[in-house]
Amino acid sequence: SSELTQDPAISVALGQTVKITCQGDSLSSYYASWYQQKPGQAPILVKYGKNSRPSGIPDRFSGSSSGNTASLTITGAQAEDEADYYCNSRDSSGMNVVFGGGTKLTVL
Amino acid sequence: QLQLQESGPGLVKPSETLSLTCTVSGGSISRSGHYWGWIRQSPGKGLEWIGSIYYSGSTYYNPSLKSRVTISVDTSKNQFSLKLSSVTAADTTVYYCARHEQYQLLTHFDYWGQGILVTVSS
């Protein structure tokens, strides 16, 4: 079982804002990173650190954190944002890497 | 632009050892500060970190797989490799290699290979 918990599925209307969350005890100590994965493709890093985005990732993707919960916010969701989203961080010991179970985002 | 490419057999027999190689192009694997990792994903399931290696050769593994996993690096070929022993059908997944940035409070995988499906079957 994962030490990071995500809602299995969430939906958002086109153009609206959606927040995808990730919960875990280790998140009070370590940053979460976030990945977008579309069917048949490798994951793509969309956010890491306090609130950093790799080059090429639209600025509608942003991150935040409070206590043991990290969030990825998509402001003005687009049809192409429909995908699975995974969070990733270290475990409570800080020694290992863990992924959340993933959230399937549907853009209506 | 850094690129990673997994290679290896797509079919492995039960109880045998799965062996995969990741070839890195567009950058040196021995650049200080980077780990190199393996992640897998069962069809329709989530991501599972297998382990990571530093360019110097130091490794750390997922505790749930540690007894069966060996990751090594060949800086002369700009490659790193995964060996997973005593495979079963549960090891049938897509295997990804990725560059692993880990420092201070961060850990993330910023460049990924396209993935390779490995099926365990007799």
Side-chain angles (χ1 to χ4, degrees):
Chain A
S1 63
S2 173
E3 294 191 27
L4 300 178
T5 302
Q6 298 182 242
D7 292 327
I10 193 170
S11 61
V12 61
L14 184 68
Q16 295 302 302
T17 296
V18 62
K19 180 179 283 191
I20 303 170
T21 61
C22 176
Q23 289 187 303
D25 289 342
S26 64
L27 298 180
S28 60
S29 302
Y30 300 101
Y31 290 117
S33 56
W34 290 91
Y35 306 83
Q36 176 193 72
Q37 186 181 34
K38 297 181 180 180
Q41 298 183 16
I44 297 171
L45 180 69
V46 296
K47 181 267 172 187
Y48 64 97
K50 190 173 185 180
N51 192 14
S52 299
R53 280 176 287 107
S55 60
I57 301 300
D59 61 5
R60 64 178 179 271
F61 289 89
S62 64
S64 61
S65 182
S66 178
N68 68 348
T69 301
S71 302
L72 176 72
T73 299
I74 307 174
T75 303
Q78 303 299 303
E80 60 263 33
D81 299 334
E82 185 164 291
D84 293 328
Y85 289 85
Y86 294 91
C87 61
N88 151 235
S89 185
R90 304 196 199 195
D91 69 0
S92 299
S93 74
M95 300 294 291
N96 302 299
V97 176
V98 289
F99 285 91
T103 297
K104 182 176 182 60
L105 176 67
T106 299
V107 179
L108 304 172
Chain B
Q1 175 76 351
L2 196 70
Q3 292 185 315
L4 293 85
Q5 178 70 59
E6 305 88 352
S7 60
L11 180 64
V12 181
K13 290 182 168 56
S15 79
E16 295 190 345
T17 296
L18 177 160
S19 296
L20 297 175
T21 296
C22 182
T23 301
V24 178
S25 58
S28 172
I29 203 169
S30 57
R31 179 182 170 188
S32 181
H34 293 137
Y35 284 84
W36 303 89
W38 289 96
I39 302 102
R40 69 181 186 176
Q41 185 173 34
S42 299
K45 298 291 181 64
L47 300 165
E48 180 180 33
W49 171 70
I50 299 170
S52 297
I53 188 166
Y54 198 54
Y55 77 98
S56 62
S58 63
T59 55
Y60 67 123
Y61 303 131
N62 185 326
S64 68
L65 297 168
K66 186 175 182 178
S67 63
R68 299 195 291 131
V69 173
T70 302
I71 297 176
S72 59
V73 63
D74 187 337
T75 55
S76 66
K77 295 182 179 179
N78 229 31
Q79 295 176 334
F80 61 106
S81 299
L82 168 70
K83 291 188 185 298
L84 181 66
S85 64
S86 305
V87 297
T88 68
D91 296 310
T92 294
T93 76
V94 174
Y95 289 80
Y96 295 100
C97 61
R99 189 175 80 169
H100 183 185
E101 293 274 21
Q102 175 147 306
Y103 53 94
Q104 299 177 348
L105 305 180
L106 290 85
T107 191
H108 55 266
F109 300 89
D110 54 359
Y111 291 91
W112 294 66
Q114 65 184 22
I116 183 169
L117 174 62
V118 178
T119 300
V120 178
S121 176
S122 55

